[in-house]
Structure formats: C-alpha cells, structure tokens
Amino acid sequence: MKFEYTGRHIDVTPALKAHVEDHFARIDHLFKGKPASAHVIIEVERGRHRSEMIVKWRNEVLTAATSNSDMYLSLSQTIDKIEKQALKLKNKIIDKSHRAVKA
C-alpha cells in the first residue's frame, strides 16, 4: 500500500507514520489483489487533533475522518472506520461475483 501524508499546523513525525502503517498492516488482508493508495491528512486546531484518510482501491474511494483530543487515538479510530468500509465493500464484491447466472 502506498501512503501519502499531509500535515496541517503539525509536522508529520516518523512515529505518526509508523503508527498509521502498523495499523494498516493489521488490515492489509482486506486490500489484496489490486494495490491501494492512502492519503492521510493530519490537522491540529485549538487543541483538537483531526485525522482524515482517503483510500483509493478498486475504483472505489473510502473516506473517514475523526476528531479527538489525542492524535494517536484519532488515527486509530479513523483506521477502524476505513476497516469497516473496506470489509463491507469486499463482502459486496464477493456476493456480486457469487450470484447465480440468469437463465
């Protein structure tokens, strides 16, 4: 998976990058087949840590955003949302391919 990072009012540290990549390694099995690309946007404004992720996979775009007081918790919650969306999409693709052929 290819990652792209954008930091608004914050420097994207190697620790934040490692946190995101470790969590995505846990759900990497969902993105098998076609390669996926993820754009991670990290923003800090007035003590609120906001993270947004845009994942492009199989001609689909998965988007999730979370705002929290802790950046690592915000990133984890955003990745959990992406995981739910990817699982739902993968199940939809599997169900579509196993549908019976009309006679």
Side-chain angles (χ1 to χ4, degrees), residues 33-66:
K34 293 191 175 185
S37 65
H39 186 183
V40 181
I41 302 167
I42 300 171
E43 182 178 359
V44 176
E45 186 176 328
R46 294 184 182 168
R48 299 300 295 172
H49 299 272
R50 184 174 180 276
S51 64
E52 180 179 352
M53 292 186 191
I54 303 164
V55 178
K56 294 181 181 177
W57 178 61
R58 288 188 174 257
N59 299 329
E60 300 286 336
V61 178
L62 308 176
T63 307
T66 306

Side-chain angles (χ1 to χ4, degrees), residues 5-45:
Y5 296 94
T6 302
R8 296 182 183 151
H9 308 290
I10 187 173
D11 292 330
V12 181
T13 62
L16 288 173
K17 289 181 182 180
H19 182 77
V20 170
E21 291 170 8
D22 287 345
H23 274 51
F24 263 105
R26 192 183 58 178
I27 62 169
D28 194 31
H29 66 280
L30 294 175
F31 299 106
K32 291 290 182 201
K34 293 191 175 185
S37 65
H39 186 183
V40 181
I41 302 167
I42 300 171
E43 182 178 359
V44 176
E45 186 176 328

